[in-house]
Amino acid sequence: MSEVVVLLRDVWKTYTSSGVTTAVLRNVSMVAYRGEIVGIHGPSGSGKTTLLKIIAGLERPDKGDVIVDGYNLNMLDEYGLAMFRNNVCSYIPQDFAVIDNMTVYENVEIPLLLAGVDPGTRMKKVMEVLDYVGLKDKVYQKVGRLSGGEKQRVAIGRALVTTPSVLLADEPTASLDWSNAIKVAELFLDIKKDFGTTIILVTHDARLLEYVDRSMSLVDGTLKQISSPRL
Ligand SMILES: Nc1ncnc2c1ncn2[C@@H]1O[C@H](COP(=O)(O)OP(=O)(O)O)[C@@H](O)[C@H]1O
Ligand SMILES: [Mg+2]
């Protein structure tokens, strides 16, 4: 049986600016199963980033339940959410959020430092992950000197080093040319196969949807399922 790893039930999110309240997510419900890749596409401003941040515990919904790998995010305080992000659910922001003046190694080590992992285990895990994402020959380079595709792989390595059950990627190919975009898409397929990770990616790049098991569309904050699970 397919195991539900991400469950959203009747999620609402509004933002208020200059006294005007706008509903960004309207009654969104979805599931993602263990080891599947879900693609969510939709036009700019449709609420994709907001949806991912809610699953990552970076934003709280106004209403509704978010349950990820057994954690009900409404029940976690800020410390609990920080632990959740560092152990269960990794979020890769659209701009990668890598630190340019640190090395590839130092960037990928950060989540393990936060988790209090001992130095020997840290080195072993970081080197394994850098080998996996194809950055073994760039270990001690400053990230600021890398290409966009390499920076994206640093961000994926940093997200993967804690072996999360859920990986969220916001427009992972937005700033990449097509050959680098394919490499990133293939890396997600490998991660799913090798680690059984549930991957949710949001994109407005229709080409990336060829790589997903199931796709959904988000239009004006309303989510629609447009293909059935392959599982
Ligand atoms: N922190 C915020 N405060 C106010 N409005 C926001 C905030 N974050 C996003 N929005 C608004 O919510 C809408 C959806 O944004 P977003 O989730 O970033 O969409 P997408 O990622 O699909 O482009 C946009 O209209 C955006 O301006
Ligand atoms: Mg966005």
Side-chain angles (χ1 to χ4, degrees), residues 47-99:
K48 302 185 297 298
T49 296
T50 304
L51 178 60
L52 276 197
K53 284 185 171 173
I54 283 176
I55 300 171
L58 288 162
E59 295 269 2
R60 288 190 185 273
D62 300 334
K63 263 198 296 191
D65 296 315
V66 183
I67 297 162
V68 181
D69 209 11
Y71 292 87
N72 182 338
L73 303 197
N74 287 338
M75 307 294 280
L76 299 180
D77 60 12
E78 290 308 311
Y79 178 77
L81 288 176
M83 292 293 106
F84 165 78
R85 284 194 295 274
N86 211 41
N87 290 295
V88 180
C89 180
S90 292
Y91 169 69
I92 306 170
Q94 181 168 357
D95 63 3
F96 317 141
V98 288
I99 302 169

Side-chain angles (χ1 to χ4, degrees), residues 19 30 32 79 96 117 123 137 142 160 218 223:
M30 65 169 279
Y79 178 77
F96 317 141
V117 175
M123 174 168 289
D137 57 339
K142 286 266 168 43
L160 206 55
L218 188 62
L223 190 67

